[in-house]
Structure formats: C-alpha cells, structure tokens
Amino acid sequence: MDGECLCGGVKFKIEGNIPNLYQCHCSLCRKATGSSANAATFVEQENFRWVSGQDKISSFQKPTGYRSDFCSVCGSPVPNQIRGMELLWVPAGLMEESFKAAVTVHLHMGSAASWERDAGECISFDAGPESLAALKNAINRT
C-alpha cells in the first residue's frame, strides 16, 4: 500500500494488510486536523518504509509529549514513530488505494466537538455539489 501527503513530497509504503482504524476526537487531534477527529492506525515498523521526502518532514511537540509530524510544504500530517515502540502512527487519509480496514474504535468521545453529529443525519452528496450556492443552501438548511 502506498501513501503520500497532499503535495506528494512525502511518500511511504506499507507491506501487508492495513490494520483497522481508530478515530480520536480529543481537542489536540481536532486542532491538528482542523476536523472533528483524526482517523489513523498503527503499523509495525518492519512493515513500513519511507520512499521519499523525509527531509520535508517537520515536527511539533507539546511539553506533554503530544507530537505531530507534518509535511513542511503542504502541511499534511504524516506518519511518525510512537515513542519507545516499534510502531508508527499512520493517518488513514494518506493511503493512495482503497483498503478493507474499518474504523473500529472512537477515542475521547467525552471531549468530542459539540457540533459533531452522526453523518446519517446530514445531507450527503456523492461528489461535490454543483455549485457553491448549492453547498451554502445545504449548510443553512435546518
């Protein structure tokens, strides 16, 4: 399985099956992704290989130990090694191909954003709406 950041500058490869995913809804993950949660998995170091772009990776670490690695060109979060373990944290959205893993765990639901709700209650489009006006109308529908 191949993975890469938004600009394609950081690339990696994972051998074998992708493990199931988790979503973390804590405030740190919301801020790091700009979304309601991050979706990620852990991959054994022996099954992970950088292809290119390691020189483009920057890191941010809080005094508490929370670490975020990202592409310094496009800002995409990128895999990073878990402290003291032979595991890498891998953001699911970087995968280039479809895979069979599913989200099986939700973390920190007690601190999930108040505006987050089940997608089943939302208006859905198979692709982007035909216009920005259509999106605005869908967003403003109550």
Side-chain angles (χ1 to χ4, degrees):
M1 170 78 59
D2 296 329
E4 67 180 37
C5 66
L6 182 60
C7 71
V10 177
K11 296 182 181 190
F12 60 91
K13 186 175 282 296
I14 297 172
E15 300 298 328
N17 293 329
I18 302 297
N20 281 329
L21 310 173
Y22 73 89
Q23 284 188 310
C24 183
H25 301 261
C26 78
S27 63
L28 297 173
C29 288
R30 289 196 318 268
K31 289 179 181 181
T33 63
S35 184
S36 64
N38 84 32
T41 192
F42 299 110
V43 174
E44 299 286 339
Q45 187 172 2
E46 65 190 28
N47 296 329
F48 182 91
R49 179 174 58 86
W50 291 108
V51 174
S52 63
Q54 280 184 279
D55 60 322
K56 293 176 174 54
I57 297 174
S58 293
S59 294
F60 168 76
Q61 188 162 349
K62 291 183 74 68
T64 59
Y66 175 88
R67 176 177 158 189
S68 176
D69 287 5
F70 53 93
C71 173
S72 61
V73 177
C74 67
S76 293
V78 297
N80 66 60
Q81 188 165 2
I82 304 300
R83 251 183 325 193
M85 301 183 81
E86 298 291 315
L87 291 173
L88 280 102
W89 172 83
V90 180
L94 301 181
M95 306 303 180
E96 288 296 300
E97 304 157 33
S98 182
F99 54 96
K100 293 198 182 266
V103 173
T104 57
V105 176
H106 287 270
L107 302 173
H108 296 282
M109 292 305 295
S111 62
S114 61
W115 45 263
E116 184 177 2
R117 64 180 187 178
D118 185 23
E121 300 174 26
C122 299
I123 297 169
S124 297
F125 295 95
D126 287 338
E130 65 276 0
S131 69
L132 188 55
L135 177 58
K136 183 179 175 200
N137 288 339
I139 289 171
N140 291 324
R141 184 176 152 211
T142 55

